Amino acid sequence: MPKLWNETIEEHRRAVRETVLETTAVLVTERGLRSVTMSKIAEESGIGRATLYKYFPDVESIMTAWHEEQIADHIRELAALRDGPGGAGERLRAVLEAYAFIQQRRHGHGPELGALLHQGEHVTGAEQHLHRFLRELLAEGAQSGDIRDDVSPDELATYCLHALAAAGALPSKAAVRRLVTVTVTGLSPAAG
C-alpha cells in the first residue's frame, strides 16, 4: 500500500479511537459505569458495534485506555512544570500545586469508577515515575538550599505525594492551595 494510504488509515483509526474514548468518558460521567453499554457507545460515537469491538472488548477496557491517556497527559503537564523556568523551589511548588489539583479532580470519579481506574500497572508505573522525578527535583532543591537536606529526597517525595493525596477531599481551590502551602512549608530548610 502507498505510504499516504497507510497514514490516512492510521489517522482514521486514531480519530475513531479518540472519539470512542471521549464519548465513553462522557457517557460514564453522565450515567454511571454500569449503565453504559457497548451499543450505546457505538451509537453515540457514530460507528457500528462490530467496528467498536475491533477496538475494545468492553466498556471497562475503554475506560482503562481513556485513563491511561489522562495519566500520560498529567505526567507531561507535571514534567513541563518541573523542567520550566525558575529555581528548584519555585518549580517544585508549581509541580506540587498541579499534582494537588489533579488529585482533587480525580476524586470526582465516584467510588465505582475510581475502583476501576485506579488499579493496574498503568497507575503503579505512573506513581513510580512521578515519585522518581519528584525525588530528583527535591534533591536539586536540597543542593541549592531551597529544600531541607536533613531528610532524604526519597522520603520527602513520599511525604509530598501522600500529603497532597488529601486534596481529593478538599472542596475548593483555595483549600487545595492552603494544603500545598502547608506541604511546601514542611520542605523548607527552616522546618528542619
Side-chain angles (χ1 to χ4, degrees):
M1 277 190 256
K3 184 176 178 182
L4 180 60
W5 179 254
N6 283 337
E7 289 173 4
T8 302
I9 290 172
E10 280 306 310
E11 287 174 22
H12 173 74
R13 287 181 180 147
R14 272 193 297 278
V16 168
R17 185 177 192 280
E18 288 303 312
T19 299
V20 168
L21 294 178
E22 290 306 316
T23 299
T24 305
V26 168
L27 288 170
V28 168
T29 300
E30 290 173 352
R31 300 171 183 208
L33 183 62
R34 299 289 167 221
S35 299
V36 177
T37 64
M38 293 294 276
S39 295
K40 187 65 177 170
I41 293 167
E43 177 187 329
E44 293 291 320
S45 297
I47 61 174
R49 272 186 31 207
T51 301
L52 178 59
Y53 279 106
K54 288 180 183 177
Y55 288 83
F56 299 100
D58 53 34
V59 177
E60 288 82 5
S61 66
I62 298 171
M63 288 306 297
T64 299
W66 173 83
H67 193 241
E68 288 171 355
E69 286 193 8
Q70 297 299 303
I71 288 174
D73 288 346
H74 294 325
I75 294 292
R76 281 190 291 276
E77 172 191 355
L78 296 172
L81 292 168
R82 175 200 61 195
D83 299 337
E90 294 170 288
R91 291 180 288 125
L92 178 64
R93 184 180 185 91
V95 167
L96 295 179
E97 185 171 290
Y99 177 74
F101 283 120
I102 290 167
Q103 292 301 303
Q104 187 186 37
R105 289 189 306 267
R106 162 187 170 179
H107 286 276
H109 295 322
E112 182 181 40
L113 185 56
L116 170 69
L117 296 180
H118 299 126
Q119 63 182 348
E121 291 179 29
H122 71 283
V123 174
T124 303
E127 288 170 349
Q128 291 169 348
H129 179 77
L130 179 59
H131 188 276
R132 192 171 40 254
F133 95 59
L134 195 53
R135 180 183 63 223
E136 292 166 3
L137 186 54
L138 286 157
E140 181 185 336
Q143 286 179 336
S144 70
D146 292 335
I147 303 298
R148 63 190 302 163
D149 63 1
D150 61 327
V151 178
S152 77
D154 191 59
E155 289 177 25
L156 290 176
T158 299
Y159 156 74
C160 291
L161 294 173
H162 285 279
L164 296 175
L170 297 178
S172 68
K173 289 183 176 189
V176 171
R177 287 191 181 99
R178 286 191 296 273
L179 177 64
V180 171
T181 297
V182 169
T183 305
V184 170
T185 300
L187 300 172
S188 73

